[in-house]
Amino acid sequence: MTDTPTPKPGKVLVPADELRGFAAALLEKGGLRPEHARTTADVFVWAALRGVDSHGTARVPAYLELLAKGVANARPEITVESSTPAVAVLDADRAPGPVALTAAAEEAVTRARASGVAAVGVRRTVHTGAIGYYVSKIAEQGLIGIAFVAGMPNMGYSGVKGAAVATSPLAVAVPAKSHAPLLLDMATATIALGKIRQARASGTPLPEGAAATEDGTPTTDPDRAVMPLPLGGAKGSGMSLAFELLTSVLVGAPIFAAFHSDDPAGRKHRQNALLIAIDPAAFGDPAAFTAAVDATLTTLKALTPADGAQGVLYPGERSASVAERRAGEGVPVAAKVWRELTESAGRFGISPPQVSA
């Protein structure tokens, strides 16, 4: 193998295609089938291109650990159960989330083409990654994509001491004609767990009402904060609980009740999801729909910006612009992450791609 590049302070730039291939090679060496490794790497690089570095290639070492420990199943037997044309349940058999949810998105599109609307539940997956990816894949087919995910409780709930519900995300993607698709991708937490860790490392105070201590007491001290607080208080925690019912309970794999029971198995990592695809053609002329979406977004962007604002943006617009720039310039990878990736490459006998500072 070639010499491993020595990372410099700051970040390195890696061409997107090379980073995708490198991540896939690492994941394949970690045990995934080649096609599953490519799918998982594509999800990571998609997030990294859009500036969502917390869900980008920084996740590769964590996934390698999940695979090594058997938390994620490297060779899952994924099955699809269905009793009606517009609905299916995909049992992931502990497959990595990118593998399971990509398959679910494809299933949802196929069924929505025939039925107008389709819903696919995902049972027993492991860490879903950036769920905006899956609804974006649906939108690329000209359909509307909606996704909900429920995971392990790690966030406060209004009126409860300690962690009660999950920072469960919601994503919606709507195709347009000439604009980039609208992409709303949000968690039900005020702040991400990764942001708390970053604040702790830098010694930066946290925003008011963003995080709490182990017993649920709000704090701005990153050294005392162990969990995020729900977005909008009761609104965010209520949404999280609703997503648990719409995913885990609906597909027969409850997380919340098991987590808070006396059974130790209830705390084993797992996630569930629900993906919905809506075909605009079932409601009328799909071309007229995307044209109207364009008109709506154009109208929004033409509104008078608030004082100090750099312009009016719709959800997903900024990240699409970042992706376009990074696709040409390369994907920034933090020095620490690059070191972890190249160390894994050394163990596996893989040659890392060339990088620039």
Side-chain angles (χ1 to χ4, degrees):
M1 71 180 276
T2 60
D3 291 336
T4 299
T6 302
K8 299 179 181 180
K11 296 184 177 182
V12 298
L13 288 175
V14 189
D17 287 342
E18 294 186 31
L19 185 60
R20 188 179 292 108
F22 181 40
L26 289 172
L27 291 162
E28 187 176 347
K29 286 292 187 179
L32 290 181
R33 297 185 180 100
E35 65 275 19
H36 289 176
R38 288 192 297 270
T39 295
T40 304
D42 195 51
V43 174
F44 292 157
V45 174
W46 179 89
L49 278 168
R50 299 179 72 92
V52 189
D53 297 324
S54 60
H55 286 66
T57 46
R59 290 287 183 178
V60 173
Y63 270 54
L64 291 175
E65 185 176 355
L66 289 172
L67 292 165
K69 291 181 176 179
V71 176
N73 187 357
R75 303 286 169 162
E77 295 297 328
I78 296 174
T79 58
V80 177
E81 309 161 6
S82 178
S83 59
T84 181
V87 176
V89 175
L90 184 150
D91 192 302
D93 190 26
R94 295 184 297 106
V99 174
L101 269 71
T102 297
E106 293 171 353
E107 186 75 24
V109 168
T110 298
R111 290 174 180 268
R113 292 282 191 211
S115 301
V117 179
V120 178
V122 179
R123 179 169 57 217
R124 296 196 305 146
T125 188
V126 176
H127 193 273
T128 51
I131 66 168
Y133 173 90
Y134 314 110
V135 293
S136 291
K137 300 301 284 187
I138 293 173
E140 286 177 6
Q141 302 299 312
L143 280 66
I144 298 165
I146 304 172
F148 308 98
V149 170
M152 307 303 291
N154 59 356
M155 180 177 78
Y157 185 93
S158 298
V160 175
K161 275 191 174 183
V165 292
T167 56
S168 300
L170 155 72
V172 179
V174 182
K177 185 176 182 180
S178 58
H179 286 289
L182 177 141
L183 175 58
L184 174 68
D185 186 350
M186 56 171 281
T188 49
T190 299
I191 191 172
L193 280 167
K195 294 291 186 182
I196 296 176
R197 289 191 289 267
Q198 289 175 0
R200 187 177 301 133
S202 64
T204 305
L206 294 164
E208 291 280 354
T213 61
E214 188 172 2
D215 67 359
T217 303
T219 181
T220 60
D221 183 350
D223 290 327
R224 298 183 61 223
V226 298
M227 64 178 176
L229 289 171
L231 181 67
K235 295 179 181 179
S237 57
M239 288 173 65
S240 176
L241 186 61
F243 295 170
E244 164 73 2
L245 299 178
L246 290 172
T247 59
S248 307
V249 174
L250 190 62
V251 301
I255 292 177
F256 177 85
F259 180 90
H260 292 291
S261 72
D262 294 328
D263 184 358
R267 294 187 172 241
K268 289 184 178 179
H269 174 75
R270 60 210 185 278
Q271 294 185 351
N272 301 304
L274 180 70
L275 274 67
I276 300 170
I278 302 172
D279 188 352
F283 293 79
D285 181 358
F289 171 74
T290 53
V293 171
D294 263 13
T296 301
L297 299 179
T298 298
T299 300
L300 173 74
K301 293 185 64 59
L303 297 177
T304 304
D307 293 342
Q310 298 300 308
V312 180
L313 301 174
Y314 61 87
E317 183 180 8
R318 189 192 304 277
S319 59
S321 176
V322 172
E324 185 176 358
R325 186 179 73 250
R326 289 187 172 187
E329 299 176 353
V331 180
V333 180
K336 178 179 181 293
V337 174
W338 185 248
R339 183 172 62 252
E340 292 174 343
L341 294 175
T342 53
E343 286 173 353
S344 295
R347 292 195 303 271
F348 292 140
I350 296 172
S351 298
Q354 296 299 310
V355 301
S356 57

